[in-house]
Amino acid sequence: MQKLSKEEAKKRIEWLRKEIWRHNYLYYVLNKPEISDEEYDKLMDELRSLEEQFPEFITPDSPTQRVGAPPAKEFKSVRHVRPMLSLDTAHKEEEILAFDKRIKKELGINEVEYTAEPKLDGLSVEIIYENGKYVRGSTRGDGINGEDVTENIRTIRSVPLVLRDERKVPSFLAIRGEVIMHIEDFEKLNKELVEKGEEPLANPRNAAAGSLRRLDPRETASRPLDIFFYEIMRAEGVNIKTQWEALQALKDWGLKINPYVKKCKDIEEAIKYHEEMEKKREELEYEIDGVVIKVNNLEYQERLGAKTRSPRWAIAYKFAPRKEETQIMDIVVQVGRTGTLTPVALLKPVDVKGVTVSRATLHNEDYIKEKDIRIGDWVKVARAGDVIPEVMEVIKEKRTGKEVKFSMPNRCPVCNSHVVKEGAYYRCTGGLSCPAQLKRSITHFASKGAMDIEGLGGKTVDLLVEHGIIKSISDIYKINKRDLLSLPRFAEKSADNLIEAIEKSKEKGLARLIYALGIPNVGEHTARILAEKFKSIDKLMSATEWQLLAIREIGPETARSIVNFFKEEKNRKEIEELRRLGVKMEYEEEKGKLKGLTFVFTGALKSFTREEAKELVEKQGGRVASSVSKNVDYVVVGESPGSKYEKAKKLGLKIIGEEEFKKMIE
Ligand code: IVH
């Protein structure tokens, strides 16, 4: 390509951005793309390449800047502009008619217009635009305060970074929408998780929530999320009178609204819409679990007001769960990571609206007793948006008398250890001597958010446990190459790689270690808080319940389970063993603003030698890697860059020029 002057480049960059924004609007909002994906990619590539040559023209709202923020340590709390309310729900037509009647009575009128919209099954977020620019995004949280997930939401392609200005753009705009994951993407993600030996996610909603709440925005970017907007919470400087108009305004500003929204002249029309959508639901690419009916006139909404948790002007009219009849062939018991026994019904396979169901969870003994579920029973199974279906009810009329009652075993079906009852649940007391618990614990220990041992996924763990190479967590650090080569899956190179990954994991630090231990109720976020507060595993091990309860984010159940975990002699021994084997257990104090960031350099820098640049990064707590991988945060590109540059582009890494790098280390 011919080299452009600075002035020309600036113009071209501006043109490209506008063009890309326009195509985003055509694609995401109007669903009428004018160009092919290849042509779109070409525009993006040209923009990227110009921004690399002229990094001084990079702006945060450029379409190239969706991913780039470094991982967060935790999410900050932000206050919503208005409480994010929830909705009252109804399941029957009578309830909807009563809703309509009440509204008419309260307003003293005989006719009310409504909007009816699909009730999207995702998680709701608040997004803020100032003068047309994306500035903030947060999760619902407790409705008053949410978590600041600005950088994560920025990575969602259907969230415009700049609003279209054909309709007057408000100086301040707060809106609400639902982040969702498409069913196809969800199934693909689950397949990948299972292949890696991780637990599959229960439903697209959980997948969307989990993906949005990654601390590292790059991980969110790698998950295919989508959004629909449905409410204006505040718009300054514009006058909008109805919900219908609000939806049109959102659309005009380039914000994606659901294509099935409908204006209904009365409640009967809204009820008909519910019926139609219940059929339509099966064809949609995403999950909806009902329709939301809202009073259209915003002044009426104002007059009707809200209760503490939900407005009086809207109602969620849910769909009946999808049910199908089938027979229970057997009931088996599954053993989870912490030893909990879960009864599972093995079913005669049945198609529940497009999904073949052959297993259903029975939760626990109480559930079985309450519904009087027996082996051989004909039952109704439901898929309420969840992948793991549930046995809803027994069809008692179909009983023949040959059905067999089920009781929970008093020994673990996997390891034969004693089983104890804790509340509604039974637990295998085998601990890590139970192969089922051991396998799940090891897989968790090695998983990405924990010690991140690449190559130690489900299938490999199964082999290692079954061949007796791993009998406890600390055995991971005793694996040698010969052990691995004796297994069917391993060759020279893969064995070396795994050994190296295991070695590397020793340096992951205290927070990840705490999470990796698999203490019940201690997730990634809590583990991080514990690491920060206690700073060493020894202090955490001797913490009392009172000390733990003094931490705002920790509740009584979590506090108790932490204390109980460290009370166990075998857990303490295991930690000592990990320490002896070289696993680092100290908390690293925050030092330098580049802490936790990895840089790669390619091409010649003007102001420093490579060695100098490396020193500068390390001085501020950062790291310099010699090759490009997905773990790299910034690729600094100098004069005539090499192949690393190409690779970085392919991986979608954040690429910066020398000037920007200088600003970072200033
Ligand atoms: S309006 C004050 N519209 O349903 C009214 N909510 O059960 C605010 N939802 O928390 C909500 N689709 O996450 C509205 N078209 C839609 C919706 C919708 C899904 C969710 C939303 C809310 C939940 C209430």
Side-chain angles (χ1 to χ4, degrees):
M1 208 194 318
Q2 152 206 1
K3 233 175 153 67
L4 300 181
S5 73
K6 209 166 162 156
E7 222 16 70
E8 287 165 333
K10 186 162 186 261
K11 279 218 180 92
R12 181 76 186 158
I13 285 175
E14 278 163 9
W15 182 85
L16 282 165
R17 283 183 193 157
K18 286 224 170 87
E19 194 62 7
I20 291 166
W21 288 333
R22 190 170 74 84
H23 288 298
N24 282 348
Y25 174 67
L26 288 166
Y27 181 84
Y28 289 113
V29 182
L30 301 186
N31 206 4
K32 281 196 200 112
E34 279 177 7
I35 55 172
S36 67
D37 288 1
E38 290 76 43
E39 286 169 297
Y40 180 87
D41 289 346
K42 242 164 121 185
L43 293 173
M44 280 295 277
D45 284 345
E46 187 186 346
L47 176 60
R48 231 177 252 129
S49 132
L50 280 174
E51 286 182 344
E52 274 147 23
Q53 286 174 51
F54 300 94
E56 60 271 37
F57 296 139
I58 299 180
T59 56
D61 58 26
S62 170
T64 59
Q65 300 300 302
R66 287 204 179 259
V67 195
K73 287 189 75 200
E74 61 181 349
F75 296 122
K76 280 187 301 198
S77 167
V78 279
R79 202 182 167 83
H80 297 305
V81 301
R82 261 175 41 200
M84 284 178 78
L85 298 175
S86 179
L87 292 171
D88 284 348
T89 57
H91 294 91
K92 297 196 200 86
E93 194 177 322
E94 298 97 84
E95 293 169 272
I96 300 301
L97 291 171
F99 164 78
D100 176 60
K101 208 166 149 192
R102 203 195 67 224
I103 282 174
K104 285 177 178 158
K105 188 171 160 215
E106 247 164 79
L107 294 172
I109 52 175
N110 297 325
E111 274 172 37
V112 182
E113 211 175 55
Y114 293 98
T115 65
E117 310 167 15
K119 183 169 185 302
L120 303 149
D121 204 5
L123 80 152
S124 66
V125 292
E126 178 195 72
I127 293 186
I128 297 190
Y129 287 89
E130 279 173 13
N131 300 315
K133 298 217 161 112
Y134 172 78
V135 295
R136 198 169 79 212
S138 55
T139 61
R140 179 166 180 276
D142 61 7
I144 307 291
N145 297 296
E147 290 171 317
D148 186 337
V149 286
T150 305
E151 294 309 323
N152 300 30
I153 288 182
R154 192 195 292 284
T155 68
I156 302 175
R157 296 289 186 272
S158 40
V159 173
L161 301 179
V162 178
L163 297 180
R164 290 177 65 78
D165 56 7
E166 270 154 42
R167 176 193 278 254
K168 186 174 173 232
V169 168
S171 52
F172 181 93
L173 177 68
I175 51 179
R176 183 168 171 180
E178 197 86 351
V179 173
I180 57 164
M181 189 181 281
H182 289 226
I183 298 166
E184 199 184 307
D185 293 323
F186 160 71
E187 282 167 356
K188 205 167 127 220
L189 172 65
N190 258 358
K191 219 171 124 210
E192 285 167 16
L193 288 176
V194 170
E195 270 162 22
K196 277 196 282 180
E198 287 171 39
E199 285 292 313
L201 298 155
N203 52 43
R205 174 178 13 97
N206 290 9
S211 302
L212 188 67
R213 297 182 63 262
R214 309 305 297 185
L215 286 169
D216 186 346
R218 283 171 310 183
E219 287 182 28
T220 305
S222 73
R223 303 272 179 93
L225 295 174
D226 196 2
I227 195 163
F228 287 111
F229 293 99
Y230 49 67
E231 200 193 351
I232 296 181
M233 304 184 61
R234 187 190 293 165
E236 272 161 25
V238 292
N239 187 11
I240 289 172
K241 292 198 160 57
T242 64
Q243 166 67 3
W244 187 251
E245 197 187 330
L247 291 169
Q248 303 316 311
L250 289 170
K251 186 167 168 179
D252 291 343
W253 290 322
L255 297 154
K256 188 171 174 175
I257 60 165
N258 191 277
Y260 296 104
V261 294
K262 190 175 177 197
K263 187 158 79 173
C264 302
K265 67 176 191 311
D266 54 26
I267 202 71
E268 282 73 26
E269 218 176 338
I271 292 171
K272 210 163 125 240
Y273 173 84
H274 174 267
E275 226 171 86
E276 287 160 8
M277 285 314 290
E278 188 151 20
K279 292 196 195 102
K280 191 98 204 148
R281 167 193 207 193
E282 308 306 334
E283 298 164 24
L284 296 182
E285 292 158 349
Y286 43 86
E287 296 272 12
I288 62 173
D289 58 351
V291 303
V292 182
I293 302 173
K294 301 175 185 169
V295 169
N296 190 30
N297 187 321
L298 298 186
E299 198 200 303
Y300 288 174
Q301 286 191 5
E302 193 85 11
R303 271 167 56 192
L304 289 160
K307 298 178 281 183
T308 10
R309 298 185 53 91
S310 54
R312 289 199 183 84
W313 44 263
I315 195 158
Y317 188 5
K318 303 268 276 202
F319 298 139
R322 301 141 151 150
K323 275 193 219 162
E324 219 54 62
E325 287 181 16
T326 186
Q327 199 177 10
I328 298 184
M329 309 310 287
D330 200 0
I331 295 177
V332 296
V333 169
Q334 250 175 18
V335 187
R337 173 159 63 83
T338 52
T340 308
L341 303 186
T342 308
V344 175
L346 302 186
L347 307 165
K348 193 183 271 178
V350 58
D351 182 273
V352 187
K353 302 269 154 74
V355 175
T356 306
V357 172
S358 54
R359 295 163 77 86
T361 176
L362 298 173
H363 303 288
N364 54 40
E365 188 180 46
D366 293 350
Y367 189 84
I368 297 178
K369 278 195 180 145
E370 201 180 295
K371 298 205 183 272
D372 187 20
I373 298 169
R374 303 180 191 178
I375 299 167
D377 263 338
W378 278 87
V379 289
K380 284 191 182 160
V381 288
R383 196 163 63 80
D386 278 16
V387 154
I388 305 170
E390 243 184 319
V391 168
M392 301 298 287
E393 60 184 292
V394 174
I395 310 164
K396 299 242 165 89
E397 304 80 63
K398 284 205 177 181
R399 282 210 169 140
T400 62
K402 287 196 186 135
E403 293 73 20
V404 180
K405 278 201 181 171
F406 169 81
S407 50
M408 292 295 281
N410 47 28
R411 292 209 170 244
C412 170
V414 179
C415 72
N416 209 32
S417 294
H418 279 289
V419 164
V420 291
K421 190 162 188 217
E422 285 172 0
Y425 292 92
Y426 285 79
R427 205 165 57 78
C428 158
T429 54
L432 295 186
S433 70
C434 171
Q437 290 187 55
L438 180 61
K439 282 179 188 170
R440 291 208 151 93
S441 302
I442 302 277
T443 315
H444 170 76
F445 187 88
S447 67
K448 205 155 186 224
M451 301 304 263
D452 193 14
I453 307 179
E454 213 179 318
L456 195 53
K459 293 201 180 100
T460 305
V461 171
D462 285 355
L463 278 175
L464 288 164
V465 171
E466 279 153 23
H467 283 73
I469 296 169
I470 292 187
K471 296 195 185 71
S472 68
I473 287 178
S474 56
D475 282 349
I476 296 174
Y477 296 98
K478 295 179 191 154
I479 297 176
N480 59 42
K481 197 168 159 186
R482 227 188 21 219
D483 290 337
L484 293 179
L485 290 176
S486 72
L487 299 175
R489 279 165 79 92
F490 283 91
E492 196 71 20
K493 179 97 178 97
S494 48
D496 282 339
N497 286 347
L498 181 53
I499 301 275
E500 196 189 318
I502 291 173
E503 199 52 36
K504 237 173 68 190
S505 76
K506 291 180 177 172
E507 305 290 324
K508 295 283 166 172
L510 185 61
R512 278 169 175 270
L513 176 69
I514 295 172
Y515 172 60
L517 291 173
I519 306 167
N521 301 311
V522 177
E524 267 180 270
H525 182 63
T526 308
R528 215 175 270 266
I529 290 169
L530 291 170
E532 257 167 40
K533 298 269 177 205
F534 290 93
K535 306 234 168 9
S536 86
I537 196 85
D538 298 292
K539 291 212 179 86
L540 176 62
M541 280 204 280
S542 57
T544 62
E545 235 171 285
W546 284 112
Q547 271 174 301
L548 289 161
L549 285 172
I551 303 169
R552 188 165 52 89
E553 295 89 343
I554 292 183
E557 208 179 322
T558 308
R560 200 167 326 117
S561 87
I562 295 168
V563 170
N564 285 343
F565 182 87
F566 291 116
K567 243 200 247 159
E568 290 270 347
E569 189 52 32
K570 58 176 191 289
N571 290 336
R572 302 175 78 94
K573 276 214 177 116
E574 193 61 17
I575 288 164
E576 275 327 304
E577 191 62 5
L578 287 170
R579 193 192 323 254
R580 192 184 67 80
L581 291 162
V583 176
K584 232 168 121 195
M585 304 197 170
E586 295 315 307
Y587 176 71
E588 273 186 35
E589 283 294 339
E590 181 90 3
K591 66 166 192 304
K593 61 178 176 179
L594 303 185
K595 185 177 182 293
L597 297 179
T598 303
F599 289 75
V600 160
F601 293 94
T602 174
L605 300 176
K606 287 194 220 101
S607 324
F608 343 79
T609 65
R610 274 292 165 79
E611 220 21 69
E612 284 164 351
K614 182 162 186 253
E615 229 164 80
L616 285 167
V617 170
E618 284 172 355
K619 232 168 138 178
Q620 305 216 32
R623 208 174 70 84
V624 175
S626 56
S627 63
V628 171
S629 75
K630 61 181 193 313
N631 299 327
V632 169
D633 299 286
Y634 290 95
V635 178
V636 186
V637 179
E639 200 74 50
S640 27
S643 64
K644 282 189 242 174
Y645 175 48
E646 293 304 319
K647 187 160 177 211
K649 276 203 289 194
K650 259 205 199 112
L651 288 173
L653 299 177
K654 172 95 182 174
I655 296 172
I656 58 173
E658 185 168 343
E659 286 312 308
E660 200 178 336
F661 172 67
K662 273 190 183 162
K663 275 192 211 131
M664 282 183 84
I665 53 169
E666 247 164 32

